[in-house]
Amino acid sequence: MQEARPLTPAGRRIVAAAEELFYDRGITAVGVDLIAEHSGVTKRTLYNQFGSKDHLVAAYLTGRDQRWRSVVRAAVDAGDTPVEAVTAPFEALRTWCETNTRGCAFINALAELPDPAHPAHLIAANQKLWLLNLFKELAVAAGCAHPATLATQLLVLHEGALATQPLPLDTLAESTALARALVRTGTSPHR
C-alpha cells in the first residue's frame, strides 16, 4: 500500500463513498467509476489519492478497523472487573451492530478477496487475529484457566454472532450469555 499521508477533503469523500458502496454492495461489485461518481470526484483524482482500487479497499478496511478497535477498547475500559472485560467485545458488537447491519465487512472482504497477497486481505485477517489476541490477553488478566483455548472459543462465538447478525435471530444475546458462562467457569464446554 502507498505510504500513509493525510487525506485531502476529496480523499475523505472518496473513502466515505467507497465504504458505503463496498459495505452495501460488495467490493468486487463496485467499480471506481461508481465511487468517483458518488464522491463527486474524477477517476483521476481517485487514482491520484489511492493509486488503485486495491489500495482504496485497504484504506476503507483500515478505517473500519480503527473505528472497531476504538469501540472495543472503550467497552473493555468500561468493564468494572477483569472478568467483565473478557466479554466486553460482545458488548462492543451490540453497539457496533446498531449501525452496521450487513454483517462483518472483514468476513465479507475475506470471502471476496481470497488472495492473501491482496493488501485488503491482510488487513481483514489481521483484524481477526487482533481480536483473538485481545481475548487471550483479557483472559490472562482475568486469571481464566486455559486462556488460549478460551480465546479461540470466544472468537468463534463472537464471529458466529457477527456472521448471523443480518438474519432475524438474536444470536448475539445467546453468544454473549455463553461467553460469560465460559469465562465464569474458566473451562471449555466439553470438559
Side-chain angles (χ1 to χ4, degrees), residues 90-165:
F90 288 87
E91 294 306 319
L93 185 56
R94 184 172 308 287
T95 301
W96 185 261
C97 288
E98 290 173 3
T99 56
N100 295 277
T101 59
R102 295 186 52 82
C104 179
F106 302 100
I107 292 171
N108 298 345
L110 289 168
E112 287 194 71
L113 307 169
D115 181 0
H118 192 287
H121 181 97
L122 182 61
I123 293 165
N126 283 339
Q127 187 274 331
K128 300 305 176 190
L129 293 174
W130 172 82
L131 187 57
L132 176 66
N133 289 328
L134 178 64
F135 277 130
K136 184 177 177 185
E137 290 170 20
L138 295 171
V140 167
C144 295
H146 314 290
T149 300
L150 179 60
T152 300
Q153 292 167 344
L154 294 175
L155 181 69
V156 168
L157 285 171
H158 188 275
E159 295 303 299
L162 184 53
T164 58
Q165 183 260 337

Side-chain angles (χ1 to χ4, degrees), residues 14-188:
I14 292 166
V15 172
E19 178 161 1
E20 179 182 331
L21 292 166
F22 290 152
Y23 187 66
D24 288 346
R25 300 183 188 186
I27 294 167
T28 57
V30 173
V32 293
D33 290 326
L34 186 59
I35 296 166
E37 178 186 323
H38 277 252
S39 60
V41 302
T42 63
K43 279 185 9 181
R44 180 181 178 150
T45 299
L46 186 148
Y47 284 115
N48 284 341
Q49 287 287 307
F50 297 98
S52 70
K53 180 182 173 183
D54 290 349
H55 290 138
L56 177 56
V57 173
Y60 145 65
L61 289 176
T62 297
R64 283 188 76 88
D65 184 34
Q66 291 168 348
R67 288 191 307 279
W68 166 243
R69 290 182 192 212
S70 177
V71 169
V72 171
R73 283 288 177 202
V76 168
D77 293 345
D80 290 333
T81 68
V83 171
E84 286 179 11
V86 180
T87 58
F90 288 87
E91 294 306 319
L93 185 56
R94 184 172 308 287
T95 301
W96 185 261
C97 288
E98 290 173 3
T99 56
N100 295 277
T101 59
R102 295 186 52 82
C104 179
F106 302 100
I107 292 171
N108 298 345
L110 289 168
E112 287 194 71
L113 307 169
D115 181 0
H118 192 287
H121 181 97
L122 182 61
I123 293 165
N126 283 339
Q127 187 274 331
K128 300 305 176 190
L129 293 174
W130 172 82
L131 187 57
L132 176 66
N133 289 328
L134 178 64
F135 277 130
K136 184 177 177 185
E137 290 170 20
L138 295 171
V140 167
C144 295
H146 314 290
T149 300
L150 179 60
T152 300
Q153 292 167 344
L154 294 175
L155 181 69
V156 168
L157 285 171
H158 188 275
E159 295 303 299
L162 184 53
T164 58
Q165 183 260 337
L167 301 173
L169 306 169
D170 187 4
T171 59
L172 181 55
E174 291 298 323
S175 295
T176 303
L178 183 53
R180 287 182 180 139
L182 287 170
V183 171
R184 275 194 306 272
T185 63
T187 60
S188 65

